[in-house]
Amino acid sequence: MIVPQFLTKIDKKQLNNGVVNWSSPSNIALVKYWGKKEHQIPNNQSISFTLESCRTTTKLSFDRLDKPSNKFSFEVFLDGEKKLDFEPKIEQFFKRIENYLPFLNDFHFKIETSNSFPHSSGIASSASGMSALALCLMSIEKQLNPEQSNAFFYQKASFLARLGSGSACRSIEGDIVVWGEHPDIEGSSDLFGVKYPYKVHENFKNYQDTILLVDKGEKQVSSTLGHNLMNNHPYAKERFKQAEANISKIKTILETGNLDDFIALVESEALTLHSMMMTSMPYFILMKPNTLEIINKIWEFRKKTGLHICFTLDAGANVHILYPESESKAIYEFIKIELVAYCQNGHYICDRVGFGAKQL
Ligand code: DP6
């Protein structure tokens, strides 16, 4: 599958070497992407809050090779240490994007990356990592082709990031991003994420996300395997329809600021994602006992206080606690006193909605 709009003509001769740097955030999906077709095309639309503090910073140095190579030439470092185990993922990424960046074979690349969150936190770094790398590569393309517009730059960066990791296409911009063509979201596309184009109620400004690290180990189910389990899944068709309907619903919620409806939708999405994993073949339970303890505590506290605290989950045991800034004092106190005890080594991360990647 070739997407002609992202094939750019560039003069390969002008540039010999250089360095580009980007810092790119993670994101947390409200309506979840789970299930994909060939070429990283999602089976359903998703929408996410871009985060602010959980970030990957990537420095990409490039040096022109004596002659273009038929093999990609690159090395990867995490926190200064060479990471051979990252290479297959990057190799696959380069393969998927080489038609769109014809200069990939002309340079040796040194990729130096670090995360603001601990590597072994169980927080997926693929969204922030792949989006940062896609942006670095786009910065090289921009040097080769300075005329290109900013709009094109960011759209193509999201397009490329998607080919690295689906959710990464939602990590370029902020504060809310939609991925997947949807009749109610103008400009939305299966090929890249778009900044949410409608009015958002004050209630969602600076929304807080405290991430409780329940299990810091390697993911039990890789996302590739997880997405594949949606093929031939008995409930997949209904799930994809539900996600489409939930995007329409969240559009109303984001406009009216109805936090009770927001909570119901977001928690239902998280539990649906996990129930898809429980009902696939093979089947998985990705929550840990402490995940459930936390969820029950949140529900108890919400009932008692009427405060608008809710949870969401990725495909793992960690819990993202979402709440409005206006209620953050009481909710943060509750988290510290009641919930941190359920975290592995008491570790958690305070984050909030952010505004996207930054060139350094
Ligand atoms: C559960 O983006 O990691 O976080 O495209 O295979 O790299 P790949 O999958 P990935 O899937 C993330 C799924 C999720 C939900 C979401 O972020 O929407």
Side-chain angles (χ1 to χ4, degrees):
M1 174 175 155
I2 293 284
V3 181
Q5 79 196 88
F6 295 117
L7 295 169
T8 37
K9 261 210 161 144
I10 41 189
D11 176 4
K12 292 194 195 176
K13 292 205 180 61
Q14 300 159 10
L15 205 58
N16 283 325
N17 53 52
V19 181
V20 285
N21 287 280
W22 278 88
S23 150
S24 196
S26 186
N27 68 73
I28 180 69
L30 305 170
V31 174
K32 309 285 180 183
Y33 149 56
W34 200 242
K36 62 179 166 184
K37 305 178 191 127
E38 248 197 305
H39 307 295
Q40 294 285 100
I41 299 298
N43 268 320
N44 66 263
Q45 307 88 342
S46 56
I47 185 168
S48 51
F49 280 151
T50 305
L51 296 180
E52 178 56 29
S53 306
C54 286
R55 286 180 168 269
T56 297
T57 301
T58 298
K59 173 178 173 187
L60 181 65
S61 316
F62 53 99
D63 262 299
R64 184 172 287 282
L65 298 163
D66 295 337
K67 58 176 178 34
S69 153
N70 52 8
K71 248 177 58 208
F72 300 120
S73 173
F74 68 89
E75 49 193 336
V76 203
F77 296 83
L78 175 68
D79 298 325
E81 253 178 62
K82 195 159 175 153
K83 292 295 277 185
L84 293 174
D85 50 329
F86 282 15
E87 288 181 7
K89 187 109 210 234
I90 308 246
E91 176 83 28
Q92 181 194 48
F93 178 47
F94 278 15
K95 261 202 207 115
R96 287 179 180 166
I97 63 175
E98 68 175 317
N99 284 319
Y100 302 101
L101 299 176
F103 59 83
L104 280 185
N105 287 305
D106 298 338
F107 294 101
H108 174 74
F109 296 100
K110 184 174 182 191
I111 305 163
E112 291 169 275
T113 178
S114 63
N115 296 324
S116 64
F117 45 91
H119 180 53
S120 58
S121 59
I123 302 268
S125 56
S126 66
S128 52
M130 285 297 175
S131 55
L133 184 54
L135 283 157
C136 286
L137 292 166
M138 280 308 293
S139 283
I140 301 177
E141 176 172 304
K142 176 104 186 165
Q143 290 183 30
L144 291 162
N145 184 4
E147 265 98 78
Q148 73 181 199
S149 70
N150 274 344
F152 178 84
F153 178 94
Y154 287 110
Q155 197 171 83
K156 184 166 172 182
S158 175
F159 171 81
L160 297 176
R162 174 185 59 87
L163 293 170
S165 177
S167 56
C169 79
R170 300 188 313 239
S171 271
I172 305 288
E173 291 182 277
D175 45 355
I176 300 175
V177 176
V178 178
W179 171 35
E181 194 180 334
H182 191 286
D184 293 350
I185 311 284
E186 225 181 301
S188 57
S189 168
D190 285 351
L191 300 175
F192 45 81
V194 294
K195 188 174 154 58
Y196 181 73
Y198 305 110
K199 218 181 88 206
V200 175
H201 194 277
E202 278 296 309
N203 282 351
F204 297 106
K205 295 277 144 70
N206 208 21
Y207 222 71
Q208 305 289 301
D209 180 4
T210 303
I211 309 165
L212 303 185
L213 306 178
V214 172
D215 182 16
K216 302 199 274 175
E218 279 284 306
K219 272 203 220 168
Q220 189 190 330
V221 180
S222 74
S223 54
T224 310
L225 192 118
H227 288 288
N228 278 340
L229 291 173
M230 290 303 276
N231 299 328
N232 305 317
H233 190 295
Y235 309 130
K237 230 171 110 201
E238 283 308 310
R239 159 59 196 154
F240 300 144
K241 272 203 257 166
Q242 177 197 42
E244 172 154 357
N246 277 347
I247 296 276
S248 302
K249 280 189 195 155
I250 207 167
K251 187 178 165 189
T252 308
I253 292 169
L254 289 173
E255 191 184 336
T256 58
N258 187 324
L259 292 176
D260 294 327
D261 288 353
F262 178 80
I263 289 169
L265 186 144
V266 166
E267 291 190 347
S268 155
E269 273 288 322
L271 294 179
T272 300
L273 168 69
H274 279 251
S275 61
M276 288 294 122
M277 299 299 288
M278 289 189 214
T279 50
S280 60
M281 192 56 80
Y283 41 81
F284 295 94
I285 298 180
L286 301 181
M287 292 185 202
K288 295 283 183 212
N290 280 352
T291 313
L292 274 179
E293 294 285 355
I294 290 167
I295 291 174
N296 281 318
K297 286 271 177 190
I298 290 173
W299 285 347
E300 236 174 64
F301 178 76
R302 188 163 77 215
K303 196 159 173 209
K304 201 171 77 197
T305 62
L307 292 174
H308 296 95
I309 178 174
C310 71
F311 71 87
T312 187
L313 309 164
D314 273 338
N318 295 332
V319 184
H320 287 248
I321 304 188
L322 302 178
Y323 48 102
E325 189 184 24
S326 59
E327 298 176 7
S328 62
K329 206 165 166 264
I331 292 177
Y332 186 52
E333 276 308 301
F334 159 70
I335 292 173
K336 278 193 298 189
I337 295 167
E338 298 276 347
L339 302 185
V340 169
Y342 298 106
C343 298
Q344 210 176 339
N345 306 325
H347 285 167
Y348 63 100
I349 298 172
C350 292
D351 211 333
R352 61 187 186 282
V353 170
F355 293 91
K358 298 174 192 156
Q359 185 159 22
L360 305 174

